Amino acid sequence: MATSLRPVPNWQEELRLAFRQLPDFLDYLHLTPAQLPPLRPSGPAFPLLVPRPYAARMNKGDPRDPLLLQVLPLAEETHAVAGTLLDPVGDAASERAPGLLHKYRGRALLLTTAACAVHCRYCFRQNFPYADSNPAQDDWSGVIAALAADPSISELILSGGDPLSLGNARLRRLTDQLRVLPGLRRLRLHTRWPVVLPDRIDPGLLTWLAELPWTVTVVIHANHPAEIDAEVSAACAQLRSAGALLLNQSVLLAGVNDDAGVLQALSERLHDVGVLPYYLHLLDPVVGAQRFAVDEAQGQALIASMRARMPGYLVPRLAREIAGEGSKRVVA
């Protein structure tokens, strides 16, 4: 008897075809190692991962392309630098159940999976012990029990990794279990998928979003206007059509977006596609990411310049996260 094979969704196929080896990636971009700082060979510790649709937005032959700089693994990532930490925001101290972090009153964050669509070299969670927290389990009973025990929690943030790395059926199984929580009013998703691989916003995902019983906010993550092309715009429009409010958070990154003109163009491009700027984060001092650091005074000057050029609703809040504090610290 013949068996029919289920087609692989486009986004999963795109992820399978992503660049994972430096020689292939550099050859695609028409670059050689001689044009770049010393590189970190791809290995098991936070390896190269770049989807081809994201790589297609990079300027070929340009070793300073702002999208390339975000994903290119350099040898200096392995150098010890004073003041950098494996867990710069205190995730471990805030874990209340496997994968459930509770830092701020009224909201908790669930690490749904270790997987992402892209490996950003500045990621503050690149050293998180996901295997110990087992965030990809389908039985979320421990999480549900912890949330039910604290009626002050009215908002749950799905994070990771990236929650949209889970398939639609697994996302639905998770949110079906969350429906037993009478105090839950808001669901927030933090995701880079709509930006780096917009095919992930497929009909099944949109149906799932539209049927959720809570107010849903999707916080995307774009750092540079060149990241937002027609496909990203279409994905954002589809998310809005499913009833989601769209916000953006960026990280202030040296050599990528530490320029008032670039940040203004990013905010304007976000508004064009129906996304409001939310946070511009100062870099978390994670081990290996020191090359991206921009100091607070420069960040404040950039925000002041943006405020002089733009309406207030297009200016993100400059903020940093400090382990143990009861909220993010807004510094401009």
Side-chain angles (χ1 to χ4, degrees):
M1 178 175 171
T3 0
S4 59
L5 296 176
R6 296 177 61 188
V8 176
N10 287 345
W11 63 274
Q12 291 182 346
E13 179 65 9
E14 289 283 8
L15 191 60
R16 187 184 70 80
L17 296 173
F19 290 106
R20 299 171 189 270
Q21 300 298 327
L22 266 171
D24 297 338
F25 184 46
L26 297 184
D27 184 61
Y28 172 81
L29 292 174
H30 303 166
L31 291 170
T32 66
Q35 296 172 273
L36 300 162
L39 299 170
R40 178 180 181 176
S42 195
F46 205 52
L48 175 79
L49 175 62
V50 185
R52 289 172 183 266
Y54 188 70
R57 293 171 232 162
M58 299 175 187
N59 295 314
K60 290 185 170 61
D62 181 3
R64 301 300 302 168
D65 178 85
L67 278 61
L68 168 66
L69 295 180
Q70 296 179 56
V71 299
L72 186 67
L74 300 185
E76 69 175 85
E77 295 174 4
T78 62
H79 301 164
V81 174
T84 60
L85 303 166
L86 293 174
D87 181 11
V89 298
D91 281 344
S94 66
E95 194 165 24
R96 300 294 175 258
L100 184 69
L101 310 183
H102 190 192
K103 297 181 183 182
Y104 306 144
R105 180 171 175 81
R107 54 207 184 274
L109 183 146
L110 180 58
L111 300 173
T112 56
T113 175
C116 285
V118 64
H119 285 171
C120 304
R121 309 315 299 182
Y122 52 87
C123 179
F124 69 93
R125 220 170 256 147
Q126 59 186 274
N127 303 296
F128 187 85
Y130 286 102
D132 297 337
S133 292
N134 193 23
Q137 60 185 313
D138 272 339
D139 177 11
W140 302 94
S141 55
V143 166
I144 303 300
L147 291 169
D150 188 345
S152 73
I153 296 174
S154 58
E155 179 173 11
L156 184 64
I157 301 162
L158 303 186
S159 183
D162 192 311
L164 297 193
S165 299
L166 300 179
N168 299 333
R170 295 186 70 185
L171 287 168
R172 186 177 291 277
R173 285 196 293 272
L174 167 58
T175 53
D176 282 350
Q177 293 181 62
L178 293 175
R179 287 172 184 261
V180 304
L181 300 170
L184 190 62
R185 299 176 56 190
R186 294 179 299 277
L187 193 70
R188 197 191 323 169
L189 281 73
H190 285 192
T191 178
R192 194 124 157 84
W193 275 91
V195 173
V196 299
L197 222 174
D199 273 357
R200 176 64 188 95
I201 312 307
D202 61 14
L205 179 75
L206 295 168
T207 299
W208 166 72
L209 277 175
E211 293 175 351
L212 292 175
W214 312 286
T215 301
V216 177
T217 301
V218 176
V219 183
I220 69 167
H221 177 176
N223 296 314
H224 193 279
E227 292 181 297
I228 304 173
D229 62 5
E231 286 71 30
V232 174
S233 175
C236 290
Q238 291 173 314
L239 288 168
R240 292 199 317 275
S241 73
L245 170 68
L246 298 188
L247 305 176
N248 181 68
Q249 59 181 357
S250 306
V251 181
L252 184 57
L253 302 168
V256 174
N257 59 9
D258 55 338
D259 175 90
V262 169
L263 290 171
Q264 177 178 353
L266 172 60
S267 283
E268 290 175 338
R269 184 68 183 123
L270 286 165
H271 186 263
D272 289 344
V273 302
V275 182
L276 277 179
Y278 175 41
Y279 275 132
L280 176 62
H281 292 277
L282 291 165
L283 184 76
D284 297 312
V286 65
V287 169
Q290 56 274 3
R291 68 184 181 274
F292 294 109
V294 177
D295 67 41
E296 185 173 311
Q298 184 182 349
Q300 290 170 329
L302 289 168
I303 292 293
S305 178
M306 291 179 74
R307 286 203 178 107
R309 304 178 186 204
M310 309 174 70
Y313 63 86
L314 290 185
V315 181
R317 289 175 288 177
L318 182 68
R320 68 162 71 250
E321 184 168 355
I322 298 175
E325 292 201 352
S327 65
K328 287 185 173 61
R329 183 181 295 181
V330 177
V331 297

